[in-house]
């Protein structure tokens, strides 16, 4: 029996663990990539304020952005490497002390990535805060634990 090659690989893990660098290298090697939707939202007008004032609404915005990216690449015949995925939204909610709504649970269960899930663990030597990555090192480690649990 011949199985189809993996098509939708996901790179997940700790904030500041080198995921974007790996994604950029994959793109330079000719692979199709999908950027981190949370960072795009945070860089947009009102993104940081929304995250701070209403993490639930920020999670819903991430879910919608992930769904758009998933759909955008759905018919691509080759490998697509996604920077994070639907379970990352559940991890964000968990680490924020919020419950996972049915919409996020449904997306995690029904919109499946058909490929490996690669995890970039916390890496203290390269971790750096920036305008969007506002977590302390300990918060980044906690975020990784919540995201990893959500993927499991």
């Amino acid at each position: 029996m011949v199985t189809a090659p993996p098509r939708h690989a996901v790179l997940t893990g700790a904030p500041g663990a080198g995921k974007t660098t790996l994604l950029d290298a994959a793109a330079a090697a000719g692979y199709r990539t999908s950027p981190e939707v949370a960072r795009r939202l945070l860089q947009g007008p009102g993104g940081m304020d929304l995250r701070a004032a209403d993490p639930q609404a920020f999670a819903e915005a991430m879910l919608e952005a992930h769904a758009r990216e998933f759909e955008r690449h759905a018919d691509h015949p080759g490998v697509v490497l996604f920077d994070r995925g639907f379970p990352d939204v559940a991890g964000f909610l968990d680490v924020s002390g919020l419950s996972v709504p049915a919409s996020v649970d449904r997306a995690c269960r029904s919109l499946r990535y058909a490929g490996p899930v690669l995890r970039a663990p916390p890496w203290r030597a390269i971790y750096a805060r920036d305008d969007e990555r506002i977590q302390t090192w300990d918060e980044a480690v906690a975020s990784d634990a919540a995201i990893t649990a959500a993927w499991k």
Side-chain angles (χ1 to χ4, degrees), residues 102-114:
S103 58
V104 173
D105 184 66
R106 192 170 34 259
C108 291
R109 293 180 190 280
S110 63
L111 300 172
R112 307 300 297 231
Y113 300 93

Side-chain angles (χ1 to χ4, degrees), residues 86-133:
F86 298 110
D88 289 81
V89 178
F92 168 79
L93 288 161
D94 181 56
V95 82
S96 299
L98 300 169
S99 62
V100 175
S103 58
V104 173
D105 184 66
R106 192 170 34 259
C108 291
R109 293 180 190 280
S110 63
L111 300 172
R112 307 300 297 231
Y113 300 93
V117 177
L118 310 167
R119 178 178 162 261
W123 189 355
R124 188 175 207 123
I126 66 167
Y127 184 77
R129 294 170 77 174
D130 62 26
D131 289 341
E132 292 87 31
R133 187 182 306 117

Side-chain angles (χ1 to χ4, degrees), residues 7-93:
R7 291 190 36 234
H8 292 134
V10 179
L11 185 54
T12 189
K19 292 179 302 298
T20 300
T21 300
L22 290 170
L23 208 73
D24 290 345
Y31 289 96
R32 184 179 244 190
T33 62
S34 174
E36 183 182 6
V37 300
R39 187 167 280 270
R40 277 187 173 173
L41 291 169
L42 292 169
Q43 291 171 340
M48 291 298 290
D49 292 337
L50 179 62
R51 183 180 188 263
D54 192 347
Q56 186 77 43
F58 183 73
E60 290 169 14
M62 284 193 294
L63 177 65
E64 291 170 12
H66 277 296
R68 283 191 303 273
E69 282 297 300
F70 190 86
E71 181 62 30
R72 184 168 77 90
H73 298 289
D75 294 329
H76 181 69
V79 174
V80 179
L81 182 58
F82 290 84
D83 190 337
R84 301 194 176 277
F86 298 110
D88 289 81
V89 178
F92 168 79
L93 288 161

